[in-house]
Structures are given as structure tokens and as C-alpha cells.
């Protein structure tokens, strides 16, 4: 087996905005994070500020946790939505949470914003969180590790629950026209879980999740993996690199747009690193075993 290595994340989970964007859009915060039309305005403003080739939604990693019943502090223009108070302390409480209803709440507004932006001709990156990032909104991490250690079967049931939800979210995203899905779970990285648990998570959750996504994903959609996830798959021999020659040096985000339809997974760099350049004109895609 290959050795699992970590990727050092240098980007915050809460994106937030800036005084410049707040003034440019004249939107009021935190209300701007709650309705589809204001989110679409913000996404376009951020795209223009960053000279990016796509719009990005949402502006935090609390969306799924809130949709499952989590309490959220919506923040302001400087700090985006973030977790407030935990609502669970046991595995049973997590397992008893109802399925996400994608027709109501902020998650529905995000999907509406995605649909609007796509209809306006924009490429749209939708950020989808992994299970540990979602649980970070719902339960104190100390309880998660306790469940893992004392009741691995309950932990597997929890991960099965979140795998089902993520697959449903991917399908809803595609219905809304989303053509770029970014997946990350930094809270469940090697540096936090440790090698033994990280390997176990790949075996029972990450690899099965992406095999299911691979089977159902449209050719017009690409999944942008957080490098932490990529290296976890590579380090457990569940994936390998496969090169695509771009023909010319290119910034990583632009390259990800260019190869839509040629592969289903990329993940050599964080998509938020807008200036990372593929100087040799080759982008590494991720081919699952």
C-alpha cells in the first residue's frame, strides 16, 4: 500500500466577503446569505474581484449541517456563516435527524442561485462538505471520536447516512445545472483523524461515495476534490493520477473548466488557489481504482 500523506490547507472554512464587495453590491448582511438573488449577486461580485472563470456558492461550509437542523450564526460581510450551538451528543441523535429537504431553507436558495447563474451562462462551483465537516456543525468533535472508538458500527451507520445525503445533494445540484462540484472535508483530514482512522474512513466512506458519484455523474459535470481527499485515496491505493495535456501552461482553475467532459475527478490543488499555474501544461486527474 502507498503511504498516506496530508495536504496543508491554507484556506479558511468561513469565506466571508469584504467591505469592498459589501459597498459594491449595497446588500445587507447577514440577510444577503439567505436569499438566492443576493447570493447570486455576491457570487458574481466575488468572481469579478478574483478575476475567476466561475462563480462559487455557498460562502461557508455550514449549509448541510444547517439543513439537518444545526444552529448557525450567519455572521456578517467579514465573517460568513459558522456553527453556533451543537444539537447532538450521541450517535442515536445524529441518526435520528431527518433527511434534508432541498425545497426549503437556505439550501434551496443556494440551488436557486446556482440555477439562475447557470442560465446566465456562468460556470458554477458548488461547495459540498464531507461528513466530518457536516458533523462539526451538529456535534462536539470529542463525541465523534468517542463513537468511533466505542461503537464503530454506529459510526459506520452515521457515515452511511451522510453518504446518502451527499449523493442526494449531488443529484439536486445537477438538476440545478451545476457543472462543477467541489468536495472537501478538512475536519476529517489525516492531521486530525490520524493514519489508522483516516484509512478506515477511506475504506468505508470516501471510496464508496466517489464510486457511486462516478457511476451517476453526467459528462457535463466535474468534481473538484480537496487535495486532502485526493491524497487519502492515493495513499490507500483507491485511486491513481492520470494526466491530461492542456497544450499550454494554464492556471489550475481555468484548466478545471477546460477539461469538463474529459474526466470526472481532479484534485491536485485547492480550487481556491486561483493563482496556481500548471507550468508544464499538464493537469493531473484522479482515476478511481
Amino acid at each position: 500500500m502507498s503511504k498516506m500523506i496530508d495536504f496543508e490547507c491554507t484556506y479558511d472554512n468561513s469565506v466571508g466577503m469584504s467591505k469592498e464587495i459589501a459597498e459594491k453590491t449595497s446588500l445587507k448582511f447577514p440577510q444577503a446569505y439567505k436569499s438566492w438573488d443576493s447570493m447570486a449577486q455576491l457570487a458574481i461580485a466575488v468572481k469579478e474581484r478574483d478575476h475567476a472563470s466561475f462563480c462559487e456558492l455557498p460562502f461557508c461550509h455550514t449549509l448541510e449541517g444547517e439543513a439537518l437542523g444545526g444552529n448557525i450564526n450567519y455572521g456578517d460581510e467579514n465573517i460568513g456563516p459558522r456553527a453556533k450551538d451543537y444539537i447532538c451528543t450521541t450517535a442515536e441523535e445524529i441518526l435520528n435527524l431527518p433527511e434534508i429537504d432541498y425545497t426549503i431553507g437556505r439550501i434551496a436558495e443556494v440551488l436557486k442561485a446556482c440555477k439562475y447563474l447557470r442560465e446566465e451562462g456562468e460556470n458554477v462551483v458548488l461547495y459540498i462538505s464531507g461528513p466530518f465537516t457536516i458533523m462539526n456543525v451538529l456535534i462536539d468533535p470529542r463525541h465523534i471520536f468517542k463513537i468511533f472508538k466505542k461503537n464503530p458500527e454506529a459510526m459506520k451507520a452515521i457515515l452511511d447516512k451522510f453518504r446518502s445525503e451527499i449523493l442526494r445533494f449531488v443529484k439536486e445540484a445537477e438538476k440545478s445545472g451545476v457543472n462543477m462540484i467541489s468536495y472537501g472535508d478538512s475536519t476529517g483530514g489525516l492531521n486530525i483523524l490520524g493514519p489508522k482512522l483516516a484509512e478506515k474512513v477511506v475504506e468505508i466512506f470516501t471510496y464508496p461515495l466517489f464510486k457511486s458519484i462516478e457511476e451517476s455523474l453526467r459528462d457535463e459535470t466535474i468534481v473538484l476534490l480537496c487535495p486532502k481527499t485526493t491524497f487519502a485515496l492515493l495513499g490507500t491505493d483507491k485511486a491513481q493520477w492520470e494526466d491530461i495535456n492542456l497544450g499550454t501552461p494554464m492556471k489550475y482553475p481555468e484548466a478545471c473548466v477546460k477539461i469538463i467532459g474529459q474526466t470526472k475527478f481532479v484534485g491536485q490543488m485547492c480550487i481556491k488557489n486561483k493563482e496556481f499555474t500548471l507550468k508544464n501544461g499538464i493537469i493531473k486527474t484522479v482515476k478511481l481504482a
Side-chain angles (χ1 to χ4, degrees):
M1 180 179 288
S2 304
K3 182 181 179 182
M4 192 182 296
I5 60 175
D6 198 18
F7 177 85
E8 184 179 353
C9 181
T10 57
Y11 295 89
D12 294 333
N13 278 344
S14 294
V15 180
M17 289 296 115
S18 67
K19 185 177 180 180
E20 170 195 354
I21 289 178
E23 291 177 349
K24 180 179 179 180
T25 59
S26 300
L27 294 170
K28 302 297 181 183
F29 292 84
Q31 186 58 38
Y33 294 127
K34 300 179 183 181
S35 58
W36 73 264
D37 51 347
S38 57
M39 282 191 271
Q41 287 185 60
L42 288 174
I44 291 172
V46 171
K47 175 196 171 188
E48 292 174 348
R49 180 195 66 187
D50 296 342
H51 306 290
S53 54
F54 46 72
C55 294
E56 302 166 78
L57 285 164
F59 309 108
C60 67
H61 293 282
T62 64
L63 189 66
E64 299 95 320
E66 180 189 26
L68 285 162
N71 294 322
I72 302 301
N73 181 332
Y74 286 102
D76 53 30
E77 67 271 21
N78 298 309
I79 302 176
R82 56 198 186 278
K84 192 176 181 181
D85 302 314
Y86 298 124
I87 62 170
C88 297
T89 58
T90 66
E92 290 73 20
E93 288 174 336
I94 294 177
L95 291 170
N96 287 332
L97 292 173
E99 284 189 340
I100 293 174
D101 185 342
Y102 292 94
T103 66
I104 61 173
R106 187 161 61 103
I107 202 163
E109 295 298 307
V110 167
L111 291 170
K112 289 176 188 175
C114 291
K115 187 174 188 294
Y116 168 79
L117 291 168
R118 286 293 290 145
E119 289 173 349
E120 290 294 305
E122 300 285 354
N123 293 307
V124 176
V125 173
L126 176 67
Y127 288 97
I128 291 182
S129 296
F132 292 93
T133 300
I134 296 172
M135 282 191 282
N136 203 41
V137 176
L138 304 169
I139 186 171
D140 190 311
R142 292 176 299 175
H143 296 309
I144 298 171
F145 285 103
K146 188 181 295 184
I147 296 167
F148 238 133
K149 184 177 181 179
K150 295 187 175 182
N151 195 345
E153 287 302 313
M155 194 67 224
K156 184 180 183 306
I158 289 171
L159 292 176
D160 287 345
K161 176 184 178 71
F162 287 122
R163 182 168 67 247
S164 175
E165 285 294 354
I166 291 168
L167 287 171
R168 290 178 64 227
F169 198 10
V170 169
K171 290 178 181 178
E172 292 297 328
E174 288 197 303
K175 287 179 187 176
S176 298
V178 169
N179 61 336
M180 304 177 76
I181 293 170
S182 177
Y183 175 90
D185 198 16
S186 59
T187 311
L190 175 64
N191 60 320
I192 295 176
L193 296 182
K196 187 175 180 180
L197 283 184
E199 183 181 329
K200 183 70 173 176
V201 169
V202 171
E203 185 71 34
I204 67 175
F205 175 83
T206 312
Y207 180 68
L209 169 69
F210 289 113
K211 285 300 286 185
S212 295
I213 290 176
E214 182 180 48
E215 292 171 3
S216 64
L217 201 71
R218 300 180 313 195
D219 290 339
E220 299 82 9
T221 310
I222 191 169
V223 177
L224 317 168
L225 299 177
C226 166
K228 284 180 176 286
T229 301
T230 300
F231 293 154
L233 289 165
L234 294 171
T236 51
D237 294 325
K238 297 297 186 184
Q240 63 186 30
W241 294 120
E242 193 168 87
D243 293 349
I244 291 180
N245 193 330
L246 302 165
T248 184
M250 192 177 297
K251 289 183 179 179
Y252 184 67
E254 283 73 17
C256 290
V257 174
K258 180 180 175 64
I259 63 170
I260 292 175
Q262 299 180 54
T263 187
K264 292 194 174 181
F265 304 104
V266 292
Q268 74 185 91
M269 177 49 62
C270 177
I271 193 62
K272 294 178 184 176
N273 190 341
K274 303 292 195 300
E275 298 303 315
F276 181 75
T277 301
L278 301 162
K279 296 179 181 179
N280 60 358
I282 293 175
I283 185 169
K284 292 185 174 297
T285 70
V286 180
K287 183 175 178 60
L288 297 178

